[in-house]
Amino acid sequence: MKLLYGALLIAQAAAAASSHGTFASPGNDVRLKFRYWLPDASVDTDTVVKDIEEAGAIGAGGVELLGLYNYGGSLAPQPDGADWATYGFGTPAFNTLFKASLQSARNTGMVFDFALGPSQGQGVPAKTTDEGLHWDLAPFNVSVPSNGTYNGQIPGWETGELVSLVSARVVNTSTIVNPASSLFSTPANNATRLVLATESLVDHTDVISADGMVSLSFNVSEHYSYRLFAYYQYQDLVKNLDIYENTTGSIFDNGSYTVDHFSARGAQTTIDFWENYILNDTDIKALLQEVGRYGWEDSIEIKSNISWSPSIPDIFEQINGYQLRKFLPLMMYGNNNPGVQPSYPGTLECVLDSEGQGQGYVNDFRAALEKGYQNYLDTLSAWLEGLGLGYSAQVSYNLPLNMEVSINHVVAPECESLAFNNNIDGYRQFSGVANVAQKNVVSNEMGANLEKAFALPLSELLGQINTAFAGGVNQIVLHGQSYTGNYHETTWPGYTSFFMLFAESYYNKQPAWGHGLSDAIDYVSRNQYILQAGQPRTDIALYNGVSMTDPQLETLYPTDDLTKAGYTYTYLSPANFNISQASVSDGLLAPESPAYRAIIVTSDQNVTWAGVMQLQQHANAGLPVIFSGGFPGYYPNGESTDKAAVYAALRMLGGSQNVYATGSGQTASKLQQLNLTPRVAVHTNGTWYPVLRTDNSTDYLFILSRDSDSRGYLTVSSTKTPYLLDSWTGKRRPLLHYQRRGNTTEIPLHLAANQTVAFAFSNELWSEIETPYLHALRVPSNVLGYNYSTSGGLLLHRSTDPCDDCIFQLSNGTSYDLSLNSTSLTSHLRNWTLIAEHWEAPNNISDAAIQAVKRNTTHHLDTLVSWLDIPGLQNASGLGYYSSSFSWPPSPAYIVDGAYLTFPKIAQGIKVTVNGHDVGPLDFTNPRVDIGPYLTSGANEVTAIVPTLMWNYVRSIYDEIEISGIAPLLSDPLPDRVDNGLIGEVKIIPYVTTRYMI
Ligand SMILES: *[C@@H]1O[C@H](CO)[C@@H](O)[C@H](O)[C@H]1NC(C)=O
């Protein structure tokens, strides 16, 4: 039995490994995906199929199908000619398209994800009487007359079902300001803040007559007044596809209703719809089982007065041991959707006059919401798993909840570059619990840059992707791929999501689509192969016990001491300690993944009694616990009666074994003092972010150099044989230059700004076939590169440039002087011919299905400058066909064996040939390639095809563009034009080859 189980596990592991493919050629399961926007289900099926196939052809592993419907109709109503009732989500027309999409994924071997509903996927078509639809809690209040008698109907009567009527004595009234939001263009506005006497809260819910009348009297005085608060739950029938029609005579006439996200009942409404209207087609069900991966939901964008579900009062009482009703006045401010309603937290904020102002009750309310939300997630997860699929969702980070407690409730948790502002620390807050719960995929909706439609360079996108990788993300879903065909009231370049408010439309109308995007996709996918291998190894856990996640995902650990030293860290909420994998053994927290070596609690954290007890247990079990900057504060629950006990427990913990204190920003030095060195120590004049994964016997290391060109070295805690993995070409080579020191490997590095490098450390993979016996301890600066093969040995390429220290030393101690008696033969390519292929709108701009109308102009360039500086190209978009030539060899007097060709940094892609030979993909951040094999004596021709961004051209026809019935929504003035083309110097760097048998 046990043996069989073992064999099964091995078989499962093998299946997982094979679906990952290889580093050189990652499987579709680990490749980048596109979010694919369907305008509505009336669009041409063949075009959708062709779009999906084209995505696969340029290297995408799959698509995430999403019926956008003008963002559910919220940015613009359906255009003339559209019929969103007939072509709505889950209609027969939709299912036909859905099935065809699934078939095209199957035919191309791609994987398939799908939104669970239209727009953000937060609801489905339903009857208005469905109890699973979204609930709101409406607050009302009225002042009690100054004679102290309230006789009459309670405020808001008949708004919905009364949840509670509460009275309170008001001890102070002031005006506060709700902030403006630039993202949502919402203005600042005033609200009122009431301080209520703590002991004065009284629940009168049970004394209200059937017609809503009460008779209440209060002991008033001239010093204080009383107020009545009434709360009603009701279904606001808010929609994620906003139409009212009478076309079909079915539920589709009303579009799609947002469901309750704080109950299993809400999830059931979604499930019932799928079962009754989509999965009743057995072909679809079978196809989903074959190629489907994730049912998906976007970030929660539901607006309300107060986040609510009828299930909340019971959950609240169950987990907190007292009733919620009396405390609802404390919940009516900032508990709706802080992420999308930043300027509208409420018009009235109530706090208590006791210490802590009643925050303990708010914390308990949020804990109840979290539990309700987890019921929602668990129900959808279980249903999808029953179908052989998984649930991927952007977990709660807009809501007034701590996302970290719920991330482990979905198979593939997803974050996003937009809401997380590309902040590595924000990503670390997301990935910690995912790693502990051993979620193999941490997904990211990537590249929805505001006001960057058609103007987001791939180089910038890759910088964002690498930043996400550095924070623990390992799956990119690009935002997004656009439908290429015609649509109602839509001109060229076609249906553009969010009316151009956000980047980007990836499709064949983008010049980069066929000329560079596939290189970027392969590069990202190979990095995902590495970052999805095995399990992560993270040095440090940071304690993060917040009441709600900051919607801006601001940095929590403010100093750079950990990063500077190479310590990797992620955040854990105290609730995450209850996950079964979060045990301590051998001094490691969550020893299988990510095997934290210490936990740090900063002084700006707040802790509960339970939290301190967990830390105490961890310390007792052998995990180092470090207080940074002093003891943390107190995290209140309910009446906050245990404050003194929490502080006493903290003092006790502070005196325990394995517990240490250090100053703020001094954690790294404390860790070093405790001999807890980073697994990958970083020594650099820049900022390097290591990500380490362990897969059986192989360790994978990914390094991002952010922001600047930088030098230095890594000290890796491994003595396995290091290999270089080139994510651009897929090639793997034994690493030439490193030092062994004790049980570490020291690797010198020079990285360009935003460059990444990847290594594998292994004694088992590849060891016999391609590993030399020796490596180099010293490599002079004039060595440009090398090739190695067991039969051919090491071929070193050294330039004719002078070197300072010219000694090449092997690990057996042998040294060679590599200085050359030559002047530098490096040259710059000049006299370029540029044929600009202009990609433009058709004469009939209403024909959006045209890729582009193309025409050429020819330009002679002595030096390579931006298209903004070339007459006739300022407003151009398309392809630049650059060509130039040089003669070879460079000097009759000196024999050279080959040359490197280098390009300036690449913004949007490049395809290079030398004498007609494709030189392969180039690293955008440091484009250089050995062209030795392609050189001939005499004239040698270099060509480069360089795609542009579309923006400058799109900007020039902006006034003519119509999308689904309206003009695009970019703000006035339009964003500036952008640079295009090759800008800078192209160099030929000749080299001399020397062979060493090592
Ligand atoms: C108290 O004041 C209110 C409002 O002025 C009035 O309607 C009510 O009759 C008064 N009640 C008593 C008992 O004086």
Side-chain angles (χ1 to χ4, degrees):
M1 209 40 211
K2 196 173 173 190
L3 235 163
L4 193 66
Y5 181 64
L8 190 69
L9 279 184
I10 290 165
Q12 281 171 350
S18 68
S19 72
H20 282 204
T22 61
F23 170 70
S25 180
N28 282 330
D29 257 315
V30 297
R31 282 183 165 270
L32 170 150
K33 299 175 186 180
F34 283 108
R35 181 185 290 189
Y36 182 85
W37 290 299
L38 214 54
D40 74 34
S42 71
V43 299
D44 179 45
T45 306
D46 291 344
T47 304
V48 173
V49 166
K50 178 186 70 81
D51 288 347
I52 293 173
E53 286 172 358
E54 283 190 5
I58 64 161
V63 292
E64 177 188 81
L65 190 83
L66 190 166
L68 190 56
Y69 302 89
N70 292 356
Y71 196 30
S74 67
L75 286 175
Q78 58 179 327
D80 282 352
D83 178 359
W84 287 353
T86 303
Y87 298 103
F89 182 82
T91 56
F94 178 90
N95 292 345
T96 300
L97 208 54
F98 192 59
K99 196 190 295 188
S101 308
L102 280 160
Q103 276 158 345
S104 83
R106 186 188 56 189
N107 296 343
T108 51
M110 295 168 82
V111 298
F112 193 92
D113 300 343
F114 52 95
L116 289 171
S119 192
Q120 318 90 332
Q122 60 195 22
V124 288
K127 294 201 173 99
T128 54
T129 50
D130 189 320
E131 281 185 16
L133 301 188
H134 177 250
W135 291 82
D136 191 9
L137 188 66
F140 290 87
N141 73 93
V142 64
S143 294
V144 173
S146 54
N147 58 17
T149 302
Y150 187 90
N151 240 328
Q153 204 166 50
I154 64 171
W157 183 249
E158 288 186 331
T159 299
E161 185 187 337
L162 182 72
V163 174
S164 78
L165 177 73
V166 180
S167 67
R169 200 173 76 228
V170 178
V171 297
N172 187 269
T173 304
S174 57
T175 299
I176 55 173
V177 178
N178 295 329
S181 162
S182 54
L183 182 60
F184 294 96
S185 307
T186 48
N189 57 86
N190 284 347
T192 302
R193 185 173 196 266
L194 302 180
V195 179
L196 308 178
T198 304
E199 79 288 355
S200 73
L201 295 179
V202 178
D203 174 21
H204 305 283
T205 316
D206 298 335
V207 301
I208 299 157
S209 75
D211 53 354
M213 307 298 280
V214 283
S215 178
L216 299 169
S217 51
F218 302 91
N219 257 338
V220 293
S221 87
E222 55 186 287
H223 302 298
Y224 43 74
S225 61
Y226 279 83
R227 218 179 261 235
L228 280 180
F229 303 90
Y231 300 92
Y232 303 88
Q233 65 185 15
Y234 71 107
Q235 289 181 290
D236 57 5
L237 301 182
V238 63
K239 296 185 183 191
N240 58 322
L241 174 50
D242 194 7
I243 50 165
Y244 286 102
E245 300 284 319
N246 52 13
T247 325
T248 67
S250 70
I251 56 169
F252 297 110
D253 282 350
N254 289 331
S256 174
Y257 291 99
T258 297
V259 299
D260 178 3
H261 277 54
F262 300 104
S263 73
R265 183 64 189 79
Q268 197 58 47
T269 292
T270 297
I271 293 168
D272 290 345
F273 177 80
W274 272 84
E275 293 289 351
N276 294 333
Y277 290 92
I278 301 177
L279 298 178
N280 54 342
D281 181 328
T282 50
D283 290 348
I284 289 183
K285 203 166 183 171
L287 280 162
L288 273 176
Q289 273 158 358
E290 199 175 338
V291 300
R293 286 296 176 274
Y294 305 130
W296 167 87
E297 186 176 345
D298 210 335
S299 59
I300 299 168
E301 295 172 349
I302 309 166
K303 294 176 184 167
S304 57
N305 287 292
I306 302 169
S307 289
W308 189 254
S309 165
S311 68
I312 291 301
D314 284 348
I315 295 176
F316 185 98
E317 190 167 355
Q318 223 166 56
I319 62 177
N320 298 314
Y322 64 96
Q323 287 198 348
L324 169 63
R325 292 201 309 214
K326 191 169 85 170
F327 301 100
L328 280 176
L330 305 176
M331 315 310 167
M332 61 196 283
Y333 188 84
N335 282 311
N336 46 3
N337 190 326
V340 302
Q341 297 174 282
S343 302
Y344 305 104
T347 54
L348 188 63
E349 179 184 31
C350 294
V351 299
L352 299 182
D353 64 352
S354 52
E355 193 191 345
Q357 303 188 323
Q359 183 63 33
Y361 301 106
V362 178
N363 291 342
D364 287 354
F365 175 63
R366 290 174 178 170
L369 288 174
E370 282 161 359
K371 182 74 184 109
Y373 177 56
Q374 288 162 14
N375 292 339
Y376 170 83
L377 296 177
D378 291 346
T379 306
L380 283 170
S381 290
W383 168 66
L384 285 163
E385 276 159 40
L387 292 166
L389 304 165
Y391 186 24
S392 178
Q394 299 186 354
V395 181
S396 93
Y397 47 74
N398 281 337
L399 293 173
L401 314 182
N402 177 358
M403 67 178 180
E404 289 172 44
V405 308
S406 300
I407 285 169
N408 55 318
H409 288 258
V410 299
V411 162
E414 184 168 275
C415 49
E416 58 174 295
S417 62
L418 174 67
F420 283 61
N421 296 306
N422 296 305
N423 182 4
I424 290 180
D425 197 88
Y427 290 135
R428 293 187 202 273
Q429 294 165 41
F430 194 86
S431 59
V433 54
N435 292 162
V436 168
Q438 298 184 23
K439 304 296 176 186
N440 296 323
V441 167
V442 179
S443 185
N444 185 290
E445 171 200 328
M446 174 55 64
N449 289 50
L450 187 62
E451 307 246 327
K452 281 279 201 173
F454 301 111
L456 178 66
L458 286 182
S459 55
E460 196 176 321
L461 179 75
L462 291 177
Q464 294 182 183
I465 289 172
N466 288 326
T467 298
F469 286 161
V473 164
N474 61 11
Q475 154 89 66
I476 296 299
V477 182
L478 271 191
H479 184 278
Q481 187 182 355
S482 291
Y483 172 72
T484 57
N486 279 308
Y487 191 61
H488 308 286
E489 298 191 288
T490 298
T491 64
W492 192 92
Y495 187 79
T496 306
S497 68
F498 302 100
F499 303 91
M500 290 173 58
L501 271 178
F502 299 93
E504 183 61 283
S505 282
Y506 297 102
Y507 47 23
N508 66 11
K509 294 165 191 167
Q510 286 274 2
W513 180 265
H515 303 88
L517 185 54
S518 65
D519 289 347
I521 290 175
D522 285 344
Y523 163 78
V524 170
S525 301
R526 290 192 187 106
N527 285 331
Q528 289 186 175
Y529 174 90
I530 289 169
L531 297 170
Q532 290 187 31
Q535 294 291 344
R537 287 289 172 266
T538 309
D539 295 321
I540 307 296
L542 279 159
Y543 186 100
N544 185 32
V546 292
S547 176
M548 62 171 268
T549 299
D550 171 2
Q552 297 305 314
L553 280 304
E554 297 281 1
T555 296
L556 293 175
Y557 189 80
T559 58
D560 64 358
D561 61 314
L562 291 172
T563 301
K564 279 271 169 227
Y567 285 102
T568 52
Y569 58 95
T570 51
Y571 293 86
L572 289 184
S573 163
N576 302 151
F577 296 134
N578 299 326
I579 296 173
S580 62
Q581 295 96 330
S583 61
V584 172
S585 75
D586 292 333
L588 299 174
L589 171 61
E592 284 177 34
S593 166
Y596 298 112
R597 304 177 67 193
I599 184 161
I600 294 169
V601 187
T602 53
S603 58
D604 54 0
Q605 279 295 314
N606 295 313
V607 292
T608 59
W609 167 264
V612 181
M613 288 304 108
Q614 283 166 324
L615 290 170
Q616 181 78 59
Q617 272 171 23
H618 289 339
N620 294 351
L623 180 75
V625 175
I626 300 175
F627 289 106
S628 164
F631 275 144
Y634 168 70
Y635 184 95
N637 287 115
E639 285 178 74
S640 319
T641 47
D642 62 349
K643 188 171 182 179
V646 169
Y647 280 122
L650 264 179
R651 279 192 298 277
M652 171 92 107
L653 174 61
S656 307
Q657 223 178 6
N658 300 320
V659 179
Y660 308 92
T662 186
S664 141
Q666 322 231 311
T667 328
S669 55
K670 186 71 193 177
L671 287 163
Q672 266 144 356
Q673 205 185 325
L674 296 170
N675 251 337
L676 292 166
T677 50
R679 290 180 173 96
V680 180
V682 160
H683 315 267
T684 173
N685 58 354
T687 309
W688 293 351
Y689 293 94
V691 182
L692 183 65
R693 309 273 305 192
T694 287
D695 185 18
N696 297 319
S697 59
T698 304
D699 302 317
Y700 290 98
L701 174 60
F702 169 89
I703 304 278
L704 165 65
S705 166
R706 233 189 25 168
D707 305 330
S708 63
D709 183 282
S710 51
R711 293 172 181 279
Y713 62 97
L714 305 170
T715 306
V716 183
S717 309
S718 172
T719 53
K720 292 174 190 166
T721 308
Y723 298 83
L724 253 183
L725 303 179
D726 184 333
S727 299
W728 287 98
T729 61
K731 287 185 188 142
R732 179 182 70 216
R733 291 181 298 167
L735 182 65
L736 175 65
H737 187 187
Y738 62 92
Q739 294 260 9
R740 282 272 154 71
R741 292 199 201 281
N743 53 8
T744 68
T745 301
E746 222 173 75
I747 302 174
L749 273 184
H750 177 196
L751 294 171
N754 295 317
Q755 192 173 15
T756 66
V757 64
F759 302 95
F761 297 83
S762 179
N763 289 338
E764 280 155 40
L765 295 177
W766 326 307
S767 59
E768 279 136 51
I769 41 165
E770 48 184 275
T771 309
Y773 292 105
L774 301 176
H775 59 271
L777 303 180
R778 285 168 75 181
V779 178
S781 61
N782 65 345
V783 170
L784 297 170
Y786 64 96
N787 286 322
Y788 172 80
S789 67
T790 333
S791 50
L794 174 71
L795 284 178
L796 218 52
H797 302 153
R798 66 185 138 137
S799 77
T800 55
D801 294 339
C803 44
D804 299 332
D805 173 4
C806 298
I807 301 301
F808 175 64
Q809 188 186 22
L810 289 169
S811 51
N812 62 0
T814 325
S815 291
Y816 306 87
D817 185 348
L818 296 192
S819 46
L820 282 177
N821 275 331
S822 161
T823 51
S824 172
L825 296 175
T826 296
S827 62
H828 297 159
L829 283 186
R830 293 181 171 273
N831 291 322
W832 290 86
T833 300
L834 165 60
I835 298 172
E837 184 178 276
H838 301 244
W839 291 25
E840 297 175 342
N843 272 339
N844 172 12
I845 199 170
S846 293
D847 193 350
I850 299 276
Q851 182 199 21
V853 173
K854 299 173 186 176
R855 66 180 173 92
N856 289 351
T857 56
T858 303
H859 310 262
H860 294 284
L861 309 172
D862 184 39
T863 56
L864 295 168
V865 295
S866 167
W867 285 27
L868 293 179
D869 299 321
I870 300 174
L873 298 187
Q874 285 90 345
N875 290 335
S877 161
L879 293 172
Y881 290 87
Y882 290 82
S883 58
S884 179
S885 64
F886 62 95
S887 86
W888 186 261
S891 152
Y894 198 86
I895 295 174
V896 287
D897 300 305
Y900 279 79
L901 174 64
T902 71
F903 283 87
K905 279 184 186 294
I906 295 161
Q908 188 69 350
I910 193 166
K911 286 287 175 195
V912 176
T913 69
V914 173
N915 297 327
H917 298 276
D918 180 353
V919 305
L922 299 181
D923 182 340
F924 282 24
T925 64
N926 185 25
R928 94 204 249 289
V929 60
D930 175 10
I931 57 168
Y934 316 125
L935 293 172
T936 57
S937 67
N940 286 258
E941 197 193 26
V942 175
T943 70
I945 306 176
V946 178
T948 69
L949 289 158
M950 285 174 74
W951 173 239
N952 296 354
Y953 178 70
V954 166
R955 189 180 190 270
S956 73
I957 60 162
Y958 187 83
D959 291 344
E960 299 168 58
I961 293 176
E962 188 181 23
I963 302 163
S964 192
I966 67 165
L969 293 175
L970 285 171
S971 53
D972 193 32
L974 291 176
D976 285 340
R977 289 192 188 91
V978 291
D979 283 320
N980 278 317
L982 273 181
I983 307 166
E985 285 180 340
V986 175
K987 288 189 218 171
I988 304 288
I989 311 173
Y991 63 74
V992 176
T993 301
T994 326
R995 184 190 302 270
Y996 303 88
M997 294 312 293
I998 59 171

